[in-house]
Coordinates of all heavy atoms in Angstrom, one line a residue:
M25 N 0.8 -1.2 0.0 CA 0.0 0.1 0.0 C 0.9 1.3 0.0 O 0.5 2.3 -0.6 CB -0.9 0.0 1.2 CG -1.7 1.4 1.4 SD -2.8 1.2 2.7 CE -4.2 1.6 1.6
F26 N 2.0 1.3 0.6 CA 2.7 2.4 0.8 C 3.8 2.6 -0.4 O 4.5 3.6 -0.5 CB 3.6 2.4 2.1 CG 2.7 2.5 3.3 CD1 2.6 1.5 4.2 CD2 2.0 3.7 3.6 CE1 1.8 1.5 5.3 CE2 1.2 3.8 4.6 CZ 1.0 2.7 5.5
T27 N 3.7 1.7 -1.4 CA 4.7 2.0 -2.5 C 3.7 2.4 -3.8 O 4.3 2.8 -4.8 CB 5.2 0.6 -2.9 OG1 4.2 -0.4 -3.3 CG2 6.1 0.1 -1.8
K28 N 2.5 2.6 -3.6 CA 1.6 3.0 -4.7 C 1.3 4.5 -4.6 O 1.5 5.2 -3.5 CB 0.3 2.3 -4.7 CG 0.4 0.9 -5.0 CD -1.1 0.2 -5.1 CE -0.9 -1.2 -5.4 NZ -2.3 -1.8 -5.5
S29 N 0.8 5.1 -5.7 CA 0.3 6.4 -5.5 C -1.2 6.4 -5.6 O -1.8 5.5 -6.2 CB 0.8 7.3 -6.8 OG 2.2 7.4 -6.6
Y30 N -1.9 7.3 -4.8 CA -3.3 7.4 -4.8 C -3.8 8.7 -5.1 O -2.9 9.7 -5.3 CB -3.8 7.0 -3.4 CG -3.6 5.5 -3.1 CD1 -2.4 5.1 -2.4 CD2 -4.3 4.6 -3.5 CE1 -2.0 3.8 -2.1 CE2 -4.1 3.3 -3.3 CZ -3.1 2.9 -2.5 OH -2.8 1.5 -2.2
Y31 N -5.1 9.1 -5.3 CA -5.6 10.3 -5.4 C -6.7 10.5 -4.3 O -7.4 9.7 -3.9 CB -6.3 10.4 -6.8 CG -5.2 10.2 -8.0 CD1 -4.8 9.0 -8.3 CD2 -4.6 11.3 -8.3 CE1 -3.8 8.9 -9.3 CE2 -3.5 11.2 -9.3 CZ -3.2 10.0 -9.7 OH -2.1 9.9 -10.8
L32 N -6.8 11.8 -3.9 CA -7.7 12.2 -3.0 C -8.7 13.3 -3.4 O -8.3 14.1 -4.4 CB -7.1 12.8 -1.8 CG -5.8 12.1 -1.1 CD1 -5.0 12.9 -0.2 CD2 -6.2 10.8 -0.4
L33 N -9.8 13.5 -2.9 CA -10.7 14.6 -3.2 C -10.6 15.6 -2.1 O -10.8 15.2 -0.9 CB -12.1 14.0 -3.4 CG -12.4 13.4 -4.7 CD1 -13.9 12.6 -4.7 CD2 -12.3 14.2 -5.8
R34 N -10.3 16.8 -2.5 CA -10.2 17.9 -1.3 C -11.2 18.9 -1.7 O -11.2 19.5 -2.9 CB -8.9 18.3 -1.3 CG -8.6 19.3 -0.2 CD -7.1 19.6 -0.1 NE -6.8 20.2 1.2 CZ -5.6 20.5 1.7 NH1 -4.6 20.3 0.9 NH2 -5.5 21.0 2.8
S35 N -11.8 19.5 -0.7 CA -12.8 20.6 -0.8 C -12.0 21.8 -1.2 O -11.1 22.1 -0.4 CB -13.7 20.7 0.4 OG -14.4 21.9 0.4
T36 N -12.5 22.6 -2.1 CA -12.0 23.8 -2.5 C -12.5 24.8 -1.6 O -12.0 26.0 -1.5 CB -12.1 24.3 -3.9 OG1 -13.5 24.2 -4.2 CG2 -11.3 23.3 -4.9
H37 N -13.5 24.6 -0.9 CA -14.3 25.5 0.1 C -13.6 25.6 1.4 O -13.2 26.6 1.9 CB -15.8 25.0 0.2 CG -16.5 26.0 1.1 ND1 -16.9 27.2 0.9 CD2 -16.9 25.6 2.5 CE1 -17.4 27.7 1.9 NE2 -17.5 26.8 2.9
D38 N -13.3 24.4 2.1 CA -12.6 24.5 3.4 C -11.4 23.7 3.5 O -10.8 23.6 4.6 CB -13.6 24.1 4.4 CG -14.1 22.6 4.4 OD1 -13.6 21.9 3.4 OD2 -15.0 22.2 5.0
G39 N -10.9 23.1 2.6 CA -9.6 22.3 2.6 C -9.7 20.9 3.1 O -8.7 20.3 3.1
Q40 N -10.9 20.5 3.5 CA -11.1 19.2 4.1 C -11.0 18.1 3.0 O -11.4 18.3 1.8 CB -12.4 18.9 4.8 CG -12.4 19.9 6.0 CD -11.5 19.4 7.1 OE1 -11.5 18.3 7.4 NE2 -10.8 20.4 7.7
Y41 N -10.4 16.9 3.3 CA -10.4 15.8 2.5 C -11.7 15.0 2.6 O -12.3 14.9 3.6 CB -9.3 14.9 2.7 CG -8.0 15.6 2.3 CD1 -7.1 16.2 3.3 CD2 -7.5 15.6 1.1 CE1 -5.9 16.8 3.0 CE2 -6.2 16.0 0.7 CZ -5.5 16.7 1.6 OH -4.3 17.3 1.3
L42 N -12.1 14.3 1.5 CA -13.3 13.5 1.6 C -13.0 12.3 2.4 O -12.0 11.6 2.2 CB -13.7 13.0 0.1 CG -14.9 12.1 0.0 CD1 -16.1 13.0 0.3 CD2 -14.9 11.6 -1.5
A43 N -13.9 12.0 3.4 CA -13.7 11.0 4.4 C -15.1 10.3 4.6 O -16.1 11.0 4.5 CB -13.1 11.4 5.6
A44 N -15.1 9.1 4.8 CA -16.3 8.3 5.2 C -16.3 8.3 6.6 O -15.3 7.9 7.3 CB -16.2 6.9 4.6
K45 N -17.5 8.8 7.2 CA -17.5 8.8 8.7 C -18.6 7.8 9.2 O -19.7 7.9 8.8 CB -17.8 10.2 9.1 CG -16.8 11.2 8.8 CD -17.1 12.5 9.4 CE -16.0 13.5 8.9 NZ -16.1 14.8 9.4
P46 N -18.2 6.8 10.0 CA -19.1 6.0 10.5 C -20.2 6.6 11.5 O -19.8 7.4 12.2 CB -18.2 4.9 11.3 CG -16.9 5.2 11.0 CD -16.9 6.6 10.4
R47 N -21.4 6.1 11.3 CA -22.5 6.7 12.1 C -22.4 6.3 13.5 O -22.8 7.0 14.5 CB -23.8 6.2 11.5 CG -24.1 6.7 10.1 CD -25.5 6.3 9.8 NE -25.8 6.8 8.5 CZ -26.3 6.1 7.5 NH1 -26.9 5.0 7.9 NH2 -26.5 6.6 6.3
N48 N -21.7 5.2 13.9 CA -21.8 4.6 15.3 C -20.5 5.1 16.1 O -20.4 4.6 17.3 CB -21.9 3.2 15.3 CG -20.8 2.5 14.5 OD1 -20.1 3.1 13.7 ND2 -20.8 1.1 14.7
I49 N -19.6 5.8 15.5 CA -18.5 6.2 16.2 C -18.3 7.7 16.3 O -18.3 8.5 15.3 CB -17.1 5.8 15.5 CG1 -17.1 4.3 15.4 CG2 -15.9 6.3 16.3 CD1 -15.9 3.7 14.5
E50 N -18.6 8.3 17.6 CA -18.5 9.8 17.7 C -17.2 10.3 17.7 O -16.2 9.7 18.1 CB -19.3 10.0 19.0 CG -20.7 9.7 19.1 CD -21.4 10.3 20.3 OE1 -21.0 11.2 21.0 OE2 -22.4 9.5 20.7
N51 N -16.9 11.6 17.3 CA -15.8 12.2 17.4 C -14.7 11.6 16.4 O -13.5 11.8 16.7 CB -15.2 12.5 18.7 CG -16.2 13.3 19.5 OD1 -16.9 14.1 19.1 ND2 -16.4 12.9 20.9
S52 N -15.1 10.9 15.5 CA -14.1 10.2 14.6 C -14.0 11.1 13.4 O -14.9 11.6 12.8 CB -14.6 8.8 14.2 OG -13.8 8.3 13.2
Q53 N -12.6 11.3 12.9 CA -12.4 11.9 11.6 C -12.8 11.1 10.5 O -12.9 11.4 9.4 CB -10.9 12.2 11.5 CG -10.5 13.4 12.3 CD -11.1 14.7 11.8 OE1 -12.3 15.1 12.1 NE2 -10.4 15.4 10.9
G54 N -13.0 9.7 10.7 CA -13.5 8.8 9.7 C -12.4 8.2 9.0 O -11.1 8.1 9.3
F55 N -12.6 7.8 7.8 CA -11.6 7.1 6.9 C -11.4 7.9 5.7 O -12.3 8.2 5.0 CB -12.2 5.7 6.5 CG -12.2 4.7 7.7 CD1 -13.3 4.7 8.6 CD2 -11.4 3.8 7.9 CE1 -13.4 3.9 9.6 CE2 -11.4 2.9 9.0 CZ -12.4 3.0 9.7
L56 N -10.1 8.2 5.4 CA -9.7 8.9 4.3 C -10.0 8.2 3.1 O -9.6 7.0 2.9 CB -8.2 9.4 4.4 CG -7.6 10.1 3.3 CD1 -8.3 11.5 3.2 CD2 -6.1 10.3 3.4
M57 N -10.8 8.7 2.1 CA -11.0 8.1 0.8 C -10.0 8.2 -0.2 O -9.6 9.2 -0.5 CB -12.4 8.6 0.2 CG -13.5 8.5 1.3 SD -14.0 6.9 1.5 CE -14.8 6.4 0.1
L58 N -9.5 7.0 -0.7 CA -8.4 6.9 -1.7 C -8.8 6.4 -2.9 O -9.7 5.4 -3.0 CB -7.3 6.1 -1.1 CG -6.6 6.4 0.2 CD1 -5.5 5.4 0.6 CD2 -5.9 7.7 0.1
F59 N -8.4 6.9 -4.0 CA -8.7 6.5 -5.4 C -7.5 6.1 -6.1 O -6.5 6.7 -5.9 CB -9.5 7.6 -6.2 CG -10.7 8.0 -5.4 CD1 -10.8 9.0 -4.4 CD2 -12.0 7.5 -5.8 CE1 -11.9 9.4 -3.8 CE2 -13.1 7.8 -5.2 CZ -13.1 8.8 -4.2
K60 N -7.6 5.0 -6.9 CA -6.4 4.5 -7.6 C -6.1 5.3 -8.8 O -5.0 5.2 -9.3 CB -6.7 3.1 -8.0 CG -6.8 2.2 -6.8 CD -7.2 0.7 -7.2 CE -7.5 0.0 -6.0 NZ -7.8 -1.4 -6.3
A61 N -6.9 6.1 -9.4 CA -6.8 7.0 -10.5 C -7.4 8.2 -10.3 O -8.6 8.3 -9.8 CB -7.1 6.3 -11.8
D62 N -6.9 9.3 -11.0 CA -7.7 10.6 -10.8 C -9.0 10.7 -11.5 O -10.0 11.2 -10.9 CB -6.8 11.8 -11.5 CG -6.5 11.6 -13.0 OD1 -6.7 10.5 -13.5 OD2 -6.0 12.5 -13.5
H63 N -9.2 9.9 -12.7 CA -10.5 9.8 -13.2 C -11.5 9.1 -12.4 O -12.7 9.3 -12.5 CB -10.4 9.3 -14.7 CG -10.0 7.8 -14.6 ND1 -8.7 7.4 -14.8 CD2 -10.7 6.7 -14.7 CE1 -8.6 6.1 -14.7 NE2 -9.8 5.6 -14.7
E64 N -11.0 8.0 -11.5 CA -11.9 7.4 -10.7 C -12.5 8.4 -9.5 O -13.7 8.3 -9.2 CB -11.3 6.2 -10.1 CG -11.0 5.1 -11.0 CD -10.3 3.8 -10.3 OE1 -10.0 3.9 -9.1 OE2 -10.2 2.8 -11.0
A65 N -11.7 9.2 -9.0 CA -12.0 10.2 -8.1 C -13.1 11.2 -8.6 O -14.1 11.5 -8.0 CB -10.9 11.0 -7.6
L66 N -12.9 11.6 -9.9 CA -13.9 12.5 -10.6 C -15.2 11.8 -10.8 O -16.3 12.3 -10.7 CB -13.3 13.1 -11.9 CG -12.1 14.0 -11.7 CD1 -11.5 14.2 -13.1 CD2 -12.5 15.2 -11.0
S67 N -15.0 10.5 -11.3 CA -16.3 9.7 -11.5 C -17.1 9.5 -10.2 O -18.3 9.6 -10.2 CB -15.9 8.3 -12.0 OG -15.4 8.4 -13.3
Y68 N -16.4 9.3 -9.1 CA -17.0 9.2 -7.8 C -17.9 10.3 -7.4 O -19.0 10.3 -7.2 CB -16.0 8.8 -6.7 CG -16.6 8.6 -5.4 CD1 -17.1 7.3 -5.0 CD2 -16.7 9.7 -4.5 CE1 -17.6 7.1 -3.7 CE2 -17.3 9.4 -3.2 CZ -17.8 8.2 -2.8 OH -18.2 7.9 -1.6
V69 N -17.2 11.5 -7.5 CA -17.8 12.7 -7.0 C -19.0 13.1 -8.0 O -20.0 13.7 -7.6 CB -16.9 13.8 -6.7 CG1 -16.4 14.5 -8.0 CG2 -17.5 15.0 -5.9
N70 N -18.8 12.9 -9.3 CA -19.8 13.2 -10.3 C -21.1 12.3 -10.1 O -22.2 12.7 -10.4 CB -19.4 13.1 -11.7 CG -18.4 14.3 -12.1 OD1 -18.7 15.3 -11.6 ND2 -17.3 14.1 -12.9
Q71 N -20.9 11.0 -9.8 CA -21.9 10.0 -9.6 C -22.7 10.3 -8.3 O -23.9 10.2 -8.4 CB -21.3 8.6 -9.6 CG -22.4 7.5 -9.4 CD -23.3 7.4 -10.6 OE1 -23.0 7.6 -11.7 NE2 -24.4 6.8 -10.3
H72 N -22.1 10.7 -7.3 CA -22.7 10.6 -6.0 C -22.9 11.9 -5.4 O -23.6 12.1 -4.4 CB -21.9 9.8 -5.0 CG -21.7 8.3 -5.5 ND1 -22.8 7.5 -5.5 CD2 -20.6 7.7 -6.0 CE1 -22.2 6.3 -6.0 NE2 -21.0 6.5 -6.3
A73 N -22.3 13.0 -6.0 CA -22.6 14.4 -5.4 C -22.4 15.4 -6.6 O -21.6 16.3 -6.5 CB -21.6 14.6 -4.4
A74 N -23.1 15.2 -7.6 CA -22.9 16.0 -8.8 C -23.3 17.4 -8.6 O -22.6 18.4 -9.1 CB -23.8 15.5 -9.9
E75 N -24.1 17.7 -7.7 CA -24.5 19.2 -7.4 C -23.3 19.9 -6.7 O -23.4 21.1 -6.7 CB -25.8 19.3 -6.5 CG -25.7 18.5 -5.2 CD -25.8 17.0 -5.1 OE1 -26.1 16.4 -6.1 OE2 -25.8 16.5 -4.0
V76 N -22.4 19.3 -6.2 CA -21.3 19.9 -5.5 C -19.9 19.6 -6.0 O -18.8 19.8 -5.5 CB -21.3 19.8 -4.0 CG1 -22.5 20.3 -3.3 CG2 -21.1 18.2 -3.6
A77 N -19.9 18.8 -7.1 CA -18.7 18.3 -7.8 C -17.7 19.4 -8.1 O -16.5 19.1 -8.0 CB -19.0 17.4 -8.9
N78 N -18.2 20.5 -8.4 CA -17.3 21.7 -8.7 C -16.5 22.2 -7.5 O -15.6 23.0 -7.6 CB -18.0 22.8 -9.5 CG -19.2 23.4 -8.6 OD1 -19.7 22.9 -7.6 ND2 -19.6 24.6 -9.1
R79 N -17.0 21.8 -6.3 CA -16.3 22.3 -5.1 C -15.2 21.4 -4.6 O -14.7 21.5 -3.6 CB -17.3 22.3 -4.0 CG -18.4 23.3 -4.2 CD -19.4 23.3 -3.1 NE -20.7 24.1 -3.4 CZ -21.6 24.0 -2.7 NH1 -21.7 23.4 -1.5 NH2 -22.8 24.7 -3.0
F80 N -14.8 20.4 -5.4 CA -13.7 19.5 -5.1 C -12.6 19.4 -6.2 O -12.9 19.6 -7.3 CB -14.3 18.0 -5.1 CG -15.0 17.7 -3.8 CD1 -16.4 17.9 -3.7 CD2 -14.5 17.4 -2.5 CE1 -17.1 17.7 -2.7 CE2 -15.2 17.2 -1.5 CZ -16.6 17.3 -1.5
S81 N -11.4 19.2 -5.7 CA -10.2 19.1 -6.6 C -9.6 17.7 -6.3 O -9.8 17.2 -5.2 CB -9.2 20.2 -6.5 OG -8.7 20.3 -5.1
V82 N -9.0 17.3 -7.2 CA -8.2 16.0 -7.2 C -6.9 16.2 -6.8 O -6.2 17.0 -7.4 CB -8.4 15.0 -8.4 CG1 -7.6 13.8 -8.3 CG2 -9.9 14.8 -8.7
E83 N -6.2 15.5 -5.9 CA -4.8 15.7 -5.5 C -4.2 14.4 -5.3 O -4.7 13.5 -4.8 CB -4.8 16.3 -4.1 CG -5.1 17.8 -4.0 CD -4.8 18.3 -2.6 OE1 -4.3 17.6 -1.7 OE2 -5.1 19.5 -2.5
P84 N -2.9 14.2 -5.9 CA -2.2 13.0 -5.9 C -1.5 12.9 -4.5 O -1.2 14.0 -3.9 CB -1.1 13.0 -7.0 CG -0.9 14.6 -7.1 CD -2.3 15.3 -6.9
I85 N -1.2 11.8 -4.0 CA -0.5 11.5 -2.8 C 0.3 10.2 -3.0 O -0.2 9.2 -3.4 CB -1.4 11.4 -1.5 CG1 -0.5 11.4 -0.2 CG2 -2.4 10.3 -1.6 CD1 -1.3 11.5 1.0
S86 N 1.5 10.2 -2.6 CA 2.3 9.0 -2.7 C 2.0 8.2 -1.4 O 1.6 8.7 -0.4 CB 3.9 9.3 -2.7 OG 4.2 9.9 -1.5
G87 N 2.3 6.9 -1.5 CA 2.1 6.0 -0.3 C 2.9 6.4 0.8 O 2.4 6.1 1.9
Q88 N 4.0 6.9 0.5 CA 4.9 7.3 1.6 C 4.3 8.4 2.4 O 4.6 8.5 3.6 CB 6.3 7.5 1.1 CG 7.1 6.4 0.4 CD 8.3 6.8 -0.3 OE1 8.5 8.0 -0.6 NE2 9.1 5.9 -0.6
Q89 N 3.7 9.3 1.8 CA 3.1 10.5 2.5 C 1.8 10.1 3.3 O 1.3 10.7 4.0 CB 2.7 11.5 1.5 CG 4.0 12.2 0.8 CD 3.5 13.1 -0.2 OE1 2.7 12.7 -1.3 NE2 3.9 14.4 -0.2
L90 N 1.2 9.0 2.9 CA -0.1 8.5 3.4 C -0.1 8.4 4.8 O -1.0 8.9 5.5 CB -0.6 7.2 2.7 CG -2.0 6.8 2.9 CD1 -2.9 8.0 2.4 CD2 -2.3 5.6 2.0
K91 N 0.8 7.7 5.4 CA 0.9 7.4 6.9 C 0.9 8.8 7.7 O 0.2 9.0 8.7 CB 1.9 6.5 7.3 CG 2.0 6.3 8.8 CD 3.0 5.2 9.2 CE 3.0 4.9 10.6 NZ 2.2 5.6 11.6
Q92 N 1.8 9.7 7.2 CA 1.9 11.0 7.9 C 0.6 11.7 7.8 O 0.2 12.4 8.8 CB 3.0 11.7 7.2 CG 4.4 11.2 7.4 CD 5.4 11.9 6.4 OE1 5.1 12.6 5.6 NE2 6.7 11.6 6.7
M93 N 0.0 11.7 6.7 CA -1.4 12.4 6.6 C -2.4 11.8 7.4 O -3.1 12.6 8.1 CB -1.9 12.4 5.2 CG -3.2 13.1 4.9 SD -3.7 13.1 3.3 CE -2.9 14.6 2.8
I94 N -2.5 10.5 7.5 CA -3.4 9.9 8.4 C -3.2 10.2 9.8 O -4.2 10.6 10.6 CB -3.4 8.3 8.2 CG1 -4.0 8.0 6.9 CG2 -4.2 7.6 9.3 CD1 -3.6 6.4 6.5
D95 N -2.0 10.3 10.3 CA -1.7 10.6 11.7 C -1.9 12.1 11.9 O -2.4 12.5 13.0 CB -0.2 10.3 12.0 CG 0.1 8.8 12.0 OD1 -0.9 8.1 12.2 OD2 1.3 8.5 11.9
R96 N -1.5 12.9 11.0 CA -1.6 14.4 11.1 C -3.1 14.8 11.3 O -3.5 15.7 12.1 CB -1.0 15.2 10.0 CG -1.1 16.7 10.1 CD -0.2 17.4 9.1 NE -0.7 17.2 7.8 CZ 0.0 16.6 6.7 NH1 1.2 16.2 7.0 NH2 -0.5 16.4 5.6
W97 N -4.0 14.3 10.5 CA -5.4 14.7 10.4 C -6.2 13.9 11.3 O -7.4 14.1 11.5 CB -5.9 14.6 8.9 CG -5.4 15.7 8.1 CD1 -4.2 15.8 7.5 CD2 -6.2 16.9 7.6 NE1 -3.9 16.9 6.7 CE2 -5.2 17.6 6.8 CE3 -7.4 17.3 7.8 CZ2 -5.7 18.7 6.1 CZ3 -7.8 18.5 7.2 CH2 -6.9 19.1 6.4
G98 N -5.6 12.8 11.9 CA -6.4 12.0 12.9 C -7.4 11.0 12.3 O -8.3 10.7 13.0
Y99 N -7.2 10.4 11.1 CA -8.1 9.6 10.5 C -7.9 8.2 11.1 O -6.9 7.9 11.6 CB -7.9 9.4 9.0 CG -8.3 10.7 8.3 CD1 -7.2 11.4 7.6 CD2 -9.5 11.0 8.0 CE1 -7.5 12.6 6.9 CE2 -9.8 12.2 7.4 CZ -8.7 12.9 6.8 OH -9.2 14.1 6.2
A100 N -9.1 7.5 11.3 CA -9.2 6.1 11.7 C -8.4 5.1 10.8 O -8.0 4.0 11.2 CB -10.7 5.7 12.1
G101 N -8.3 5.5 9.6 CA -7.8 4.6 8.5 C -8.0 5.1 7.2 O -8.4 6.3 7.0
V102 N -8.1 4.3 6.2 CA -8.4 4.6 4.8 C -9.5 3.8 4.2 O -9.8 2.6 4.7 CB -7.1 4.6 3.9 CG1 -6.1 5.5 4.4 CG2 -6.6 3.2 3.9
G103 N -10.2 4.3 3.3 CA -11.2 3.7 2.5 C -10.7 3.6 1.1 O -10.7 4.7 0.4
V104 N -10.3 2.5 0.6 CA -9.7 2.4 -0.8 C -11.0 2.2 -1.7 O -11.6 1.1 -1.6 CB -8.7 1.4 -1.0 CG1 -8.2 1.3 -2.5 CG2 -7.5 1.5 -0.1
V105 N -11.3 3.0 -2.6 CA -12.4 2.8 -3.5 C -12.1 2.0 -4.7 O -11.2 2.3 -5.5 CB -12.9 4.3 -4.1 CG1 -14.1 4.1 -5.0 CG2 -13.3 5.2 -2.9
N106 N -12.6 0.8 -4.8 CA -12.4 -0.1 -5.8 C -13.2 0.1 -7.0 O -12.8 -0.3 -8.2 CB -12.5 -1.6 -5.3 CG -11.4 -1.9 -4.3 OD1 -10.2 -1.5 -4.4 ND2 -11.8 -2.6 -3.3
D107 N -14.4 0.5 -6.8 CA -15.3 0.8 -7.9 C -16.1 2.2 -7.6 O -16.9 2.1 -6.7 CB -16.3 -0.3 -8.2 CG -17.2 -0.1 -9.4 OD1 -17.4 1.0 -9.9 OD2 -17.8 -1.1 -9.8
P108 N -15.8 3.2 -8.3 CA -16.4 4.5 -8.0 C -17.9 4.6 -8.2 O -18.5 5.5 -7.7 CB -15.5 5.5 -8.7 CG -14.9 4.8 -9.9 CD -14.9 3.3 -9.4
L109 N -18.4 3.8 -9.1 CA -19.8 4.0 -9.5 C -20.7 3.2 -8.6 O -21.9 3.7 -8.4 CB -20.0 3.6 -11.0 CG -19.1 4.4 -12.0 CD1 -19.3 3.9 -13.4 CD2 -19.4 5.9 -11.8
V110 N -20.3 2.1 -8.0 CA -21.3 1.2 -7.2 C -21.6 1.9 -5.8 O -22.8 2.0 -5.7 CB -20.7 -0.2 -7.1 CG1 -21.5 -0.9 -6.1 CG2 -20.7 -0.8 -8.4
P111 N -20.8 2.4 -5.0 CA -19.4 2.4 -4.8 C -19.0 1.1 -4.1 O -19.8 0.6 -3.2 CB -18.9 3.6 -4.1 CG -20.2 3.8 -3.2 CD -21.5 3.4 -4.1
E112 N -17.8 0.6 -4.4 CA -17.2 -0.5 -3.6 C -16.0 0.0 -2.9 O -15.0 0.5 -3.6 CB -16.9 -1.7 -4.6 CG -16.3 -2.9 -3.9 CD -15.9 -4.0 -4.9 OE1 -16.8 -4.2 -5.8 OE2 -14.8 -4.5 -4.7
V113 N -16.0 -0.1 -1.6 CA -14.9 0.5 -0.8 C -14.4 -0.5 0.2 O -15.1 -1.1 0.9 CB -15.3 1.7 0.0 CG1 -14.3 2.4 0.7 CG2 -16.0 2.8 -0.9
E114 N -13.0 -0.6 0.2 CA -12.4 -1.5 1.1 C -11.8 -0.7 2.3 O -11.0 0.2 2.0 CB -11.3 -2.2 0.5 CG -10.6 -3.2 1.4 CD -9.4 -3.9 0.6 OE1 -9.3 -3.7 -0.6 OE2 -8.6 -4.6 1.3
F115 N -12.3 -0.8 3.5 CA -11.9 0.0 4.6 C -10.7 -0.8 5.4 O -10.8 -1.9 5.6 CB -13.0 0.2 5.6 CG -14.1 1.2 5.1 CD1 -15.2 0.6 4.5 CD2 -13.8 2.5 5.0 CE1 -16.1 1.5 3.9 CE2 -14.8 3.4 4.5 CZ -15.9 2.9 3.8
L116 N -9.7 0.0 5.7 CA -8.4 -0.4 6.4 C -8.2 0.5 7.5 O -8.0 1.6 7.4 CB -7.2 -0.5 5.5 CG -7.4 -1.3 4.1 CD1 -6.4 -1.0 3.2 CD2 -7.5 -2.6 4.4
S117 N -8.2 -0.1 8.7 CA -8.0 0.6 9.9 C -6.4 0.8 10.2 O -5.6 -0.2 9.7 CB -8.5 -0.1 11.1 OG -8.2 0.5 12.3
K118 N -6.1 1.9 10.8 CA -4.7 2.1 11.0 C -4.1 1.3 12.1 O -3.0 1.2 12.4 CB -4.2 3.6 11.2 CG -4.7 4.1 12.5 CD -4.3 5.6 12.4 CE -4.7 6.3 13.8 NZ -4.2 7.5 14.0
Q119 N -5.0 0.6 12.9 CA -4.4 -0.2 14.1 C -4.0 -1.6 13.7 O -4.2 -2.2 12.8 CB -5.6 -0.4 15.1 CG -6.1 1.0 15.5 CD -7.4 0.8 16.4 OE1 -8.1 -0.2 16.3 NE2 -7.8 1.9 17.1

């Protein structure tokens, strides 16, 4: 996981990254959503949030930077999006 490059969706409004937040865990930053390609990130936001798609930008991140970002922002782990249209997401906890 740390040798690959991924893509993130970041809000141009407040700078927050797209994260999945579990309903049953209070005060959690959630899981940082990762995409394997930039076009998959765009497909995801256009399919599931078309009305706000123009408020997001796609940013690349190396696998080496990923752990530092998870720790810095306090994420519980990552959600790797395998299919952006369904969506099919594999959640991985940092523990």
Side-chain angles (χ1 to χ4, degrees):
M25 170 172 242
F26 293 114
T27 59
K28 294 183 179 183
S29 291
Y30 294 96
Y31 294 87
L32 309 170
L33 285 170
R34 188 172 196 174
S35 169
T36 57
H37 177 69
D38 64 5
Q40 295 289 315
Y41 290 98
L42 181 69
K45 296 185 180 183
R47 292 183 184 143
N48 58 350
I49 301 175
E50 291 185 33
N51 300 322
S52 172
Q53 282 289 90
F55 292 81
L56 181 64
M57 301 296 284
L58 300 178
F59 300 88
K60 296 176 184 176
D62 59 346
H63 65 272
E64 289 183 358
L66 294 172
S67 294
Y68 181 88
V69 74
N70 285 328
Q71 176 72 22
H72 303 290
E75 63 279 359
V76 294
N78 63 340
R79 296 182 193 169
F80 286 91
S81 63
V82 178
E83 291 186 4
I85 185 170
S86 71
Q88 296 170 343
Q89 295 172 305
L90 191 56
K91 182 173 178 1
Q92 294 170 348
M93 177 175 278
I94 291 169
D95 291 340
R96 181 175 63 240
W97 287 75
Y99 290 109
V102 297
V104 181
V105 179
N106 293 320
D107 185 342
L109 299 179
V110 174
E112 181 183 315
V113 182
E114 180 181 355
F115 290 98
L116 304 169
S117 176
K118 71 176 184 177
Q119 297 172 344

